[in-house]
Amino acid sequence: MAKQMTGAEMVVEALKDQGVDTVFGYPGGAVLPIYDALFHQNSVRHVLVRHEQGAGHAAEGYARSTGKVGVLLVTSGPGATNAVTALTDALLDSIPLVCITGQVPTHLIGSDAFQECDTTGITRSCTKHNYLVRNVADLPRILHEAFYVASHGRPGPVLVDIPKDVQFAAGTYTGPSNVQHKTYQPRVKGDIEKIRQLVEMMKVAKKPVFYTGGGVINAGPKASMLLRELVGLTNFPITSTLMGLGAYPASGKNWLGMLGMHGTYEANHAMHDCDLMICVGARFDDRITGRLDAFSPRSRKAHIDIDPSSINKVVKVDLGIIGDCAYVLEDMVRLWRSSAAQADKAALAQWWGQIDGWRQKKSLAYGPSKTTIKPQHAIRRLYELTKNRKTFITTEVGQHQMWAAQHYGFEEPNRWMTSGGLGTMGYGLPAAIGVQMAHPEALVVDIAGEASILMNMQEMSTALQYRLPVKVFILNNSYMGMVRQWQELLHGGRYSESYSEALPDFVKLAEAYGGHGIRCSDPNDLDAAIQEMIDSPKAVIFDCVVDKQENCFPMIPSGKAHNEMILADLSDDAGIELGSVIDERGKLLV
């Protein structure tokens, strides 16, 4: 129904019509009319962050944990530029966001006015689409289109830049009725003949593997259910990228663990030696493939993706199927069942025997310690103490992120929020705030490093203001851990600027914000300290002091093939075993 209202009121009305209940933002002069409109209603909650980057990551956490579009609202100039990192993060990880920015009045655009910047120009390369609204008559359509574009096809961030005079102007608002973008109409149903061809390839495969990614998560709970059903029907092994964890349960018997630079030995070797690779909702990222000319050289490859530009973009495949993972998996399950298809059981038994041999390497093993907390042990204890409750995990970026992916078992989709493509330090705390706003009854833990957490530590104020009991679990090794590891292994142990000096007392810092601080350095006290963190009704900063020298293995060194892995040396007298070896001077040996 058409209504007369100002542009600012249209923004709020559109949010309501799109089912938005939470907006993350920070006010400023160019966006104050919208904030005034928010003040006069009670349907949409506004969460005041302490930095616009935090608004973007909080919206990401909200979106990824709910499957809905996340929304942030920031002012012009520095407000918009501060959000660029989060927008880029969302673009690379395919997260649906709508970012509404204020802009100087239209007659001042291009005049270098106060807090003016070319927001659409700056964000053109880090958004899925963006708009500059010059006429209030266009605003309702653009707002509804923005949500459509953000959430349809391959999800991503969309920015709507609204000049201040357009916010004040009066016009006619119309609701979202059959909203579509004129030129953007992504295909969701896969080509049935190609799907039939893939099923035939699966029937004759001797060494198949499912390689899955974040696209399965983005396709909704149905896609994860269908993936599990298909794995059960075929008995094929399955692995996943960092972004796809939880689509298939970590406790499943066909699970090989995560693949890639810090993936398991069995996952990477299965990918290398397979004869049929079925890629579902992943994009052949460089952290997965290693050296491209040595990536799975003897396999036929099928790629299922909703983004046509992803097919053959990095790796040339034998069969490309464009479509939403849920629709394509549904057709695959139906065709497999209706044709009474059977995998080559004898060949598959041999394949599993080979995989079990790789599993015997126990590539995620680590040396125990009675006096020092090993970071892997800390993650495993956190998992054991939280696995029986509704728990969401976010992370910062670094060694702690990889240890979390390796050692925390994800059984369900949408419970794991991390920065994969961009690798954004400072992502985890604001993302945890977004998750906690969406799931107030759940336990939300940000697994952090002592360096990463300082990137957006100011968001503890947001957590305390809104009484959000987020838990920050810091693996404190006094280094930028992943930087130190690369310097040790690849740069001769020259630790250039990687030591975390002048760290705050994290317990006192938590208390200064009004939260609860915990420090633990003794393995014998770890379980009790984690339980204290879980039971606290407040936001918590947990300073878990871990082994300073522990490295994250397995590891594929930069420039090596994906089956050339370094494993941890757990013996007293042996060098690093298997694949590539690095001596004490950092020289790469083959």
Side-chain angles (χ1 to χ4, degrees):
M1 185 176 180
K3 304 175 187 176
Q4 287 295 116
M5 58 183 69
T6 67
E9 291 168 337
M10 289 179 185
V11 171
V12 176
E13 196 68 18
L15 295 178
K16 294 177 185 177
D17 284 344
Q18 291 292 337
V20 175
D21 55 28
T22 307
V23 173
F24 303 89
Y26 201 94
V31 78
L32 283 184
I34 298 174
Y35 273 88
D36 192 53
L38 283 169
F39 182 83
H40 289 93
Q41 57 82 51
N42 296 310
S43 299
V44 179
R45 295 176 296 177
H46 179 274
V47 178
L48 177 66
V49 296
R50 269 46 179 186
H51 190 282
E52 290 89 353
Q53 181 184 349
H57 295 323
E60 284 188 274
Y62 179 95
R64 292 172 71 167
S65 65
T66 62
K68 297 166 65 177
V69 176
V71 181
L72 61 151
L73 173 62
V74 300
T75 195
S76 64
T81 58
N82 281 346
V84 164
T85 297
L87 293 173
T88 310
D89 191 272
L91 183 70
L92 287 176
D93 285 346
S94 304
I95 310 304
L97 296 186
V98 169
C99 176
I100 298 170
T101 58
Q103 182 56 276
V104 300
T106 52
H107 69 276
L108 290 178
I109 291 175
S111 70
D112 295 333
F114 178 67
Q115 290 194 333
E116 182 199 357
C117 73
D118 179 9
T119 300
T120 52
I122 289 169
T123 61
R124 187 164 290 118
S125 63
C126 63
T127 55
K128 187 177 176 184
H129 193 53
N130 64 19
Y131 301 85
L132 172 60
V133 186
R134 291 182 175 271
N135 191 320
V136 71
D138 297 325
L139 184 57
R141 172 187 58 80
I142 287 174
L143 288 166
H144 298 314
E145 269 188 18
F147 279 87
Y148 174 86
V149 173
S151 58
H152 286 69
R154 180 178 176 177
V158 177
L159 182 138
V160 182
D161 196 31
I162 311 175
K164 194 168 184 179
D165 58 322
V166 174
Q167 297 173 42
F168 278 124
T172 302
Y173 174 81
T174 52
S177 178
N178 298 319
V179 177
Q180 287 187 354
H181 191 279
K182 291 181 180 178
T183 59
Y184 183 65
Q185 298 179 14
R187 184 195 308 177
V188 295
K189 290 284 289 182
D191 184 321
I192 194 64
E193 290 307 314
K194 288 187 175 182
I195 297 172
R196 205 181 305 277
Q197 184 181 343
L198 176 54
V199 168
E200 292 303 314
M201 292 165 69
M202 291 165 62
K203 289 179 184 178
V204 298
K206 309 294 183 185
K207 297 180 175 183
V209 65
F210 282 112
Y211 153 40
T212 61
V216 180
I217 307 284
N218 287 339
K222 183 179 179 181
S224 295
M225 291 173 57
L226 289 164
L227 177 67
R228 296 171 188 217
E229 183 177 359
L230 188 58
V231 171
L233 288 170
T234 61
N235 195 32
F236 288 2
I238 179 171
T239 181
S240 167
T241 66
L242 180 74
M243 300 304 296
L245 296 177
Y248 185 84
S251 61
K253 69 182 182 68
N254 294 58
W255 179 239
L256 303 182
M258 182 179 72
L259 78 160
M261 179 172 280
H262 294 286
T264 65
Y265 189 77
E266 54 267 32
N268 283 325
H269 277 264
M271 287 281 283
H272 184 268
D273 282 14
C274 70
D275 69 348
L276 176 62
M277 180 187 299
I278 308 162
C279 176
V280 187
R283 58 186 178 89
F284 294 97
D285 178 72
D286 62 288
R287 294 290 166 123
I288 300 303
T289 62
R291 204 177 77 238
L292 274 174
D293 62 358
F295 177 66
S296 195
R298 294 175 294 276
S299 69
R300 291 196 293 173
K301 300 173 182 68
H303 188 183
I304 301 165
D305 205 292
I306 199 166
D307 182 2
S309 70
S310 289
I311 308 293
N312 293 319
K313 181 177 182 178
V314 177
V315 170
K316 183 173 175 55
V317 298
D318 299 276
L319 180 65
I321 300 174
I322 300 167
D324 183 278
C325 292
Y327 286 91
V328 176
L329 286 168
E330 184 175 38
D331 284 336
M332 289 175 70
V333 168
R334 179 177 54 80
L335 289 173
W336 189 270
R337 285 188 178 280
S338 64
S339 64
Q342 293 287 328
D344 187 332
K345 292 185 177 180
L348 203 54
Q350 287 188 331
W351 180 223
W352 274 113
Q354 190 174 354
I355 290 170
D356 287 340
W358 291 324
R359 281 174 165 168
Q360 294 306 308
K361 298 295 183 184
K362 299 187 183 301
S363 61
L364 298 183
Y366 55 94
S369 174
K370 294 182 179 180
T371 58
T372 304
I373 298 176
K374 293 287 186 176
Q376 304 95 320
H377 176 68
I379 298 296
R380 290 194 175 188
R381 295 314 304 156
L382 177 67
Y383 169 67
E384 290 297 330
L385 292 167
T386 60
K387 67 181 181 181
N388 293 323
R389 59 187 299 161
K390 187 177 182 180
T391 303
F392 294 83
I393 299 294
T394 71
T395 77
E396 308 294 334
V397 168
Q399 284 179 320
H400 63 273
Q401 176 191 28
M402 294 299 106
W403 281 318
Q406 292 173 339
H407 297 281
Y408 197 101
F410 294 96
E411 298 294 307
E412 299 179 48
N414 303 103
R415 297 294 182 86
W416 164 247
M417 273 61 64
T418 195
S419 175
L422 194 61
T424 307
M425 294 173 71
Y427 169 89
L429 175 55
I433 286 169
V435 175
Q436 193 79 78
M437 286 297 299
H439 305 275
E441 80 293 348
L443 175 66
V444 182
V445 183
D446 171 29
I447 297 175
E450 84 291 334
S452 273
I453 191 59
L454 294 177
M455 289 279 188
N456 274 316
M457 177 55 82
Q458 76 283 342
E459 298 308 328
M460 278 297 290
S461 287
T462 305
L464 269 299
Q465 178 176 339
Y466 294 93
R467 296 178 175 83
L468 302 174
V470 296
K471 318 301 183 188
V472 179
F473 189 69
I474 301 173
L475 300 184
N476 187 346
N477 59 11
S478 299
Y479 280 96
M480 299 174 203
M482 195 62 81
V483 174
R484 182 202 59 75
Q485 176 168 334
W486 279 53
Q487 288 173 335
E488 176 185 329
L489 299 179
L490 302 175
H491 297 278
R494 295 181 291 278
Y495 303 125
S496 177
E497 303 298 327
S498 57
Y499 184 65
S500 297
E501 295 190 69
L503 288 171
D505 181 324
F506 285 110
V507 172
K508 289 181 179 178
L509 184 60
E511 293 168 351
Y513 277 110
H516 182 50
I518 301 170
R519 178 177 293 112
C520 183
S521 58
D522 188 335
N524 297 307
D525 299 331
L526 183 60
D527 277 21
I530 292 175
Q531 194 61 52
E532 180 185 346
M533 176 187 76
I534 294 168
D535 293 340
S536 174
K538 291 185 174 182
V540 175
I541 299 178
F542 187 125
D543 187 11
C544 186
V545 181
V546 300
D547 189 334
K548 290 179 170 57
Q549 302 302 319
E550 192 75 5
N551 285 329
C552 185
F553 293 120
M555 175 183 171
I556 303 171
S558 181
K560 304 302 288 184
H562 66 141
N563 65 327
E564 296 180 295
M565 304 178 68
I566 304 170
L567 301 187
D569 174 20
L570 304 181
S571 67
D572 293 328
D573 54 0
I576 296 171
E577 62 172 331
L578 301 171
S580 303
V581 181
I582 296 174
D583 72 5
E584 68 276 8
R585 295 177 302 280
K587 182 180 178 183
L588 188 64
L589 306 176
V590 179

